[in-house]
Amino acid sequence: MKFSIRGGAPLDGVLTYDDSEYGFSFDARSPKALGERLGTKGVTSALIGTLQLEIDVESREIVYVWGYFPNVRGDVGDLEVPVASPGRVFLSSDDFLEAGVSFDVPGKPWRVTYDPSSGWVALRLSDAPATLVQIADGTVVGLDDGALVSLWLRPVFSG
């Protein structure tokens, strides 16, 4: 499974983590902007455990992150604030996508680190350097040679 980076602005919105529901949600500020990223063939999700990266089937773009994720504060530690370039990330391999049928992102174990001083949550396969791309407000994707190797989330905590 390979991903590629293209230029473009991150999706504007609010990433929220609801402590009472143990989950992430993303609310786009503009339904029109979200609609422009979604085609007519539906969506699917790439899974890191129960966390879902919503992917438009037609364009193959990772649009936002959402889903049940109870161990968001699993390991507390210091994180360097990620320096990311704005852009868009697309599934570039020929993997078949079907609306509503999720698939796992390769690689395990994903290590989760939460930094209470910065509010960032990092899901990483390793500490190796990666190209960081901000795809949406509060959401940064890390790629290494086309492989998804990290996900950096800075939600608003509620609940």
Side-chain angles (χ1 to χ4, degrees), residues 25-39:
S25 62
F26 185 83
D27 293 312
R29 290 201 201 282
S30 165
K32 180 181 176 190
L34 177 59
E36 290 170 354
R37 293 187 188 222
L38 299 175

Side-chain angles (χ1 to χ4, degrees), residues 31-107:
K32 180 181 176 190
L34 177 59
E36 290 170 354
R37 293 187 188 222
L38 299 175
T40 59
K41 296 182 180 178
V43 293
T44 188
S45 294
L47 303 174
I48 299 175
T50 54
L51 186 64
Q52 302 187 50
L53 287 76
E54 194 80 345
I55 298 177
D56 175 60
V57 170
E58 190 172 335
S59 70
R60 304 172 75 84
E61 178 181 5
I62 300 175
V63 183
Y64 57 85
V65 173
W66 68 282
Y68 178 72
F69 198 74
N71 65 338
V72 72
R73 294 184 182 102
D75 183 24
V76 175
D78 293 328
L79 294 170
E80 285 190 35
V81 175
V83 178
S85 299
R88 297 166 78 172
V89 174
F90 295 81
L91 182 62
S92 59
S93 55
D94 291 333
D95 298 294
F96 177 74
L97 299 181
E98 184 176 348
V101 179
S102 302
F103 58 93
D104 289 323
V105 174

Side-chain angles (χ1 to χ4, degrees), residues 4-15:
S4 62
I5 301 166
R6 297 185 197 159
L11 184 60
D12 192 27
V14 178
L15 178 66

Side-chain angles (χ1 to χ4, degrees), residues 48 51-53 62 65 110 120-125 132 135 139-142 148-153:
I48 299 175
L51 186 64
Q52 302 187 50
L53 287 76
I62 300 175
V65 173
W110 287 87
W120 282 97
V121 177
L123 292 81
R124 296 171 288 173
L125 287 174
L132 300 176
I135 62 163
T139 308
V140 172
V141 174
L148 181 64
V149 296
S150 64
L151 187 62
W152 295 76
L153 306 172

